[in-house]
Amino acid sequence: MTSLLTALVAALCVSTVSSEIMPQADFNLQAMAGKWYLIGFATNAQWFTNRRASMKMGTAVFTPTADGDLDMSYASLTPDGSCWRMNGLAQKTEVPGKFTYTSESWENQNDMRMVDVKYDEYALAHTIKTKEGDITIVNKLYGKVVICHDATLSHSIVNVCSSSVGMQINAILFDRPWI
């Protein structure tokens, strides 16, 4: 499992390079349904630097709609011990596995692609976020089960990500669930 996790996280980092990342060719919306654990995160967003140390593994529940959209519900623990929640509806596009949505909370436009999914194990989402002309990339690694790892893996991933893409990438693998 560690080698699979390492390979997926490398993909997590490398996918920050291009805005032409395509969704998985055989994407199955119905198979995405259910609870997922957010086990990894990589981004070039500045806000992440300040919040990284306090972030915990959270959960996402994906629910396909009858129209082919994706209802998303997120929850995680905040530093003060309260529960942070966010809900949204990602609207389908003509490309299976590619969705768009507007975040009311963050006031940004989002282009999300499910780039690598093994439905009973993991899902890698690549999201291009645009706000007032600024573009940031957020890649999330979800797992169907909680994966614990050595904390040094997170530090090595940051180094690999930063050197491989030529820009500052911040990454984290969560080492313990809050649930």
Side-chain angles (χ1 to χ4, degrees), residues 161-179:
C161 288
S162 296
S163 63
S164 68
V165 300
M167 67 171 142
Q168 182 60 41
I169 299 298
N170 292 294
I172 188 170
L173 287 178
F174 299 108
D175 58 359
R176 61 190 173 283
W178 63 275
I179 48 174

Side-chain angles (χ1 to χ4, degrees), residues 36-91:
W36 294 81
Y37 296 93
L38 179 59
I39 58 176
F41 196 95
T43 183
N44 63 343
Q46 187 59 40
W47 64 262
F48 183 71
T49 305
N50 299 332
R51 292 183 179 89
R52 177 184 167 153
S54 64
M55 292 180 76
K56 305 279 187 253
M57 179 185 295
T59 60
V61 176
F62 297 127
T63 307
T65 68
D67 295 333
D69 296 333
L70 186 62
D71 186 39
M72 305 176 299
S73 178
Y74 296 96
S76 67
L77 194 63
T78 64
D80 69 4
S82 62
C83 184
W84 173 84
R85 295 185 185 277
M86 184 173 75
N87 297 303
L89 181 66
Q91 298 173 328

Side-chain angles (χ1 to χ4, degrees), residues 4-18:
L4 172 63
L5 183 60
T6 303
L8 285 171
V9 173
L12 187 73
C13 297
V14 172
S15 64
T16 60
V17 178
S18 172

